[in-house]
Amino acid sequence: MSDLGVSYNKFQDPRRAIEVLELARGIAVELGEALSEATAIINIGASYKLLGDYRRSAELLETALTLCRRVGNRQREAIALGSLGNVYEHLGDLTRGSELYQESILIASTIGDRILEAGGLNSLGEIWISLGQRHRALECFNRAATIYADLGAASRQRLAIAAAGMMHVEDENWPQAMHVLDQMPALTSSIEDFDLDISGVPDLFAALNEETDDSEKVSRAERAAQIYHKSGNREIEAFALYTLGFYSKRSADYERARRALEAAVEIYRDLGLGNDEADALTELCDAYMLLGEPETAALLSQRALTLHRDAGNSVGEGIDLLNLAECQWKLGHRAEATHNLEAGLKILEEKGHEYVEQARKTLAAWRAEACDDSD
């Protein structure tokens, strides 16, 4: 009967679970089976946690903990302690939560329940992050990853590695982040249901790392785009394609840049992400200019300009005006080009943007050329 209650919890029906588990608890009490009673109470506590009643959940788990200690079942005691730690975490008492997790981990280690130990380490790591104890969090994630590796639990090992790697990313410790995260793809070959989103993390962050050379950025961004396409995460796929386009352009591979950026634009449009679509269009405009197609570039910059205005992105609007002006100048529409360059320059001056100085030089050169022509 307890198993049925657990199933109701898994299917997010905690009220039904409580009904079934209370029956199981009553039967255990009648039979004098304290361990079965404790197991039912632990699961009832989990039900109340799902309902958001953390105080009631804590009360039940304290009762279960007492029963487990009375019968001397160390494994159930460790489970009760871990569950209680999680409840205190939700209540905001992180210090008490960390103490309970540590008790649970110590017992699990002592009795040789390594799966329970590793799970507790992952949970404790998250609390250490919240408490600002990042070095202790890393230690927990690394210990958990080692245990999972020893047990051949590659899927769980990958998650622990990802947690450690993401901490290095947040600290902007790029070399260490890549060192940790690059361990992940090697794990995926033996996992049928591996999480593609996680396996794409090292490639994506390598592509964004300023210490990586542009050819490597292109290769890693392309691989990340393929991974996220397979996983169905279209927004991150589009971002990887945008990154691929940007660095392909910087590597003078303008045709590859065009293809990647057009794909990113299409995805962002499908998702209704107007500002992101506009950013990709801005880069695509530049790619077409470099390919010697100013007419297409002008159309793209006008589309980007409209979307950036709709999104209230004044910096994007200013850059689009500069791009449009350059296209118009190339096409011989000099009056319109000068007008748009002046408008874009005014916006970017107000924002203190880095493009201001170059735009001023361009405007001065155009005016000088116009004077020469009039003479």
Side-chain angles (χ1 to χ4, degrees), residues 28-285:
V29 170
E30 287 180 13
L31 296 174
E33 295 180 357
L35 184 58
S36 296
E37 180 187 355
T39 301
I41 294 172
I42 289 171
N43 291 321
I44 295 168
S47 300
Y48 277 102
K49 190 184 77 170
L50 287 172
L51 290 169
D53 191 344
Y54 302 120
R55 294 291 177 191
R56 179 58 180 151
S57 179
E59 291 171 3
L60 287 161
L61 289 168
E62 292 280 9
T63 301
L65 180 59
T66 300
L67 282 169
C68 291
R69 285 173 172 165
R70 185 186 303 161
V71 299
N73 189 300
R74 301 283 278 165
Q75 184 190 46
R76 288 290 194 280
E77 180 184 354
I79 291 170
L81 283 164
S83 299
L84 195 54
N86 184 257
V87 169
Y88 274 100
E89 184 179 355
H90 280 88
L91 286 168
D93 191 343
L94 300 182
T95 300
R96 181 60 179 147
S98 68
E99 292 169 351
L100 290 161
Y101 277 133
Q102 287 177 86
E103 285 187 64
S104 175
I105 291 164
L106 180 59
I107 293 172
S109 176
T110 301
I111 64 175
D113 191 330
R114 305 199 74 199
I115 284 289
L116 186 57
E117 179 186 358
L121 285 164
N122 277 333
S123 298
L124 180 59
E126 295 296 337
I127 283 193
W128 287 140
I129 291 174
S130 299
L131 288 171
Q133 301 285 332
R134 298 181 68 80
H135 66 290
R136 300 182 79 172
L138 271 173
E139 182 183 339
C140 286
F141 294 139
N142 288 332
R143 283 177 58 192
T146 300
I147 291 171
Y148 288 135
D150 290 346
L151 296 173
S155 179
R156 296 186 185 189
Q157 181 191 1
R158 189 177 66 258
L159 292 172
I161 289 173
M166 290 305 292
M167 287 190 66
H168 291 302
V169 168
E170 290 165 5
D171 293 336
E172 297 187 4
N173 185 347
W174 297 104
Q176 188 61 27
M178 284 195 293
H179 172 72
V180 172
L181 292 170
D182 272 338
Q183 299 174 51
M184 291 166 55
L187 303 174
T188 61
S189 60
S190 62
I191 306 169
E192 294 181 2
D193 59 342
F194 65 90
D195 187 339
L196 283 163
D197 278 0
I198 291 177
S199 68
V201 168
D203 288 312
L204 192 55
F205 279 108
L208 297 171
N209 179 13
E210 285 302 320
E211 296 181 10
T212 308
D213 64 47
D214 285 353
S215 62
E216 178 71 4
K217 288 180 193 296
V218 167
S219 174
R220 299 296 287 265
E222 187 168 44
R223 192 160 70 177
Q226 292 168 351
I227 289 170
Y228 287 109
H229 177 74
K230 290 178 182 177
S231 77
N233 191 331
R234 301 197 72 208
E235 185 174 353
I236 305 299
E237 179 192 356
F239 179 68
L241 287 165
Y242 174 90
T243 304
L244 172 60
F246 180 87
Y247 287 110
S248 294
K249 184 158 59 75
R250 207 162 81 169
S251 302
D253 191 344
Y254 306 133
E255 185 57 35
R256 175 185 269 180
R258 179 193 66 76
R259 291 195 303 270
L261 290 165
E262 284 182 342
V265 166
E266 183 177 349
I267 293 172
Y268 282 136
R269 185 183 301 124
D270 288 347
L271 295 175
L273 299 172
N275 189 66
D276 292 321
E277 181 187 350
D279 288 344
L281 282 166
T282 299
E283 293 297 331
L284 184 58
C285 164

